[in-house]
Amino acid sequence: VQLQASGGGLAQAGGSLRLSCAASGSIFSINAMGWYRQVPGKERELVAAITSGGSTNYADSVKGRFSISRDNAKNTVYLEMNSLKPEDTAVYYCNIDATSIWGARGKYWGQGTQVTVSS
């Protein structure tokens, strides 16, 4: 299973960015999908997650500003980030909980995409 993230970059405070992460490979099904972020010296933290049924949860720091969605037909998860703040600056990682065609279930990580928000 491979994850390819895209959409990071530089934005001004108050601006918007949209991240995408497409999963490919020997996937039978995808359960939860999510986005995490990490800044140097700190632990990776959950930003948002979405279940196979569409239920979502968000970190308190992004509620009302970020929106997670998924396209099951494309095995893709999105993160719409609005009203960006400098403290949103981090490397963002996508993560999926998936079952392979051989029945093995595991968690997989994307390569990370940098988001930088200038004040």
Side-chain angles (χ1 to χ4, degrees), residues 2-118:
Q2 299 84 39
L3 300 180
Q4 181 65 47
S6 61
L10 177 65
Q12 290 189 333
S16 299
L17 285 172
R18 188 187 194 217
L19 306 182
S20 300
C21 179
S24 61
S26 304
I27 300 170
F28 175 73
S29 65
I30 298 178
N31 307 301
M33 308 179 84
W35 289 94
Y36 291 70
R37 67 187 181 188
Q38 188 170 25
V39 297
K42 292 190 176 182
E43 291 187 357
R44 194 171 295 185
E45 64 173 0
L46 175 68
V47 176
I50 184 168
T51 68
S52 57
S55 297
T56 59
N57 69 287
Y58 298 90
D60 288 342
S61 59
V62 306
K63 283 181 181 177
R65 300 188 298 121
F66 290 12
S67 178
I68 189 170
S69 61
R70 62 191 283 173
D71 184 332
N72 292 326
K74 296 181 179 179
N75 287 341
T76 299
V77 61
Y78 305 96
L79 186 67
E80 187 75 35
M81 304 185 293
N82 300 311
S83 302
L84 283 163
K85 302 176 180 180
E87 51 264 44
D88 294 320
T89 296
V91 178
Y92 284 70
Y93 298 89
C94 57
N95 172 272
I96 66 169
D97 177 354
T99 301
S100 72
I101 59 174
W102 298 286
R105 182 171 179 174
K107 295 183 183 294
Y108 302 89
W109 291 94
Q111 82 279 17
T113 183
Q114 177 70 46
V115 170
T116 302
V117 183
S118 62

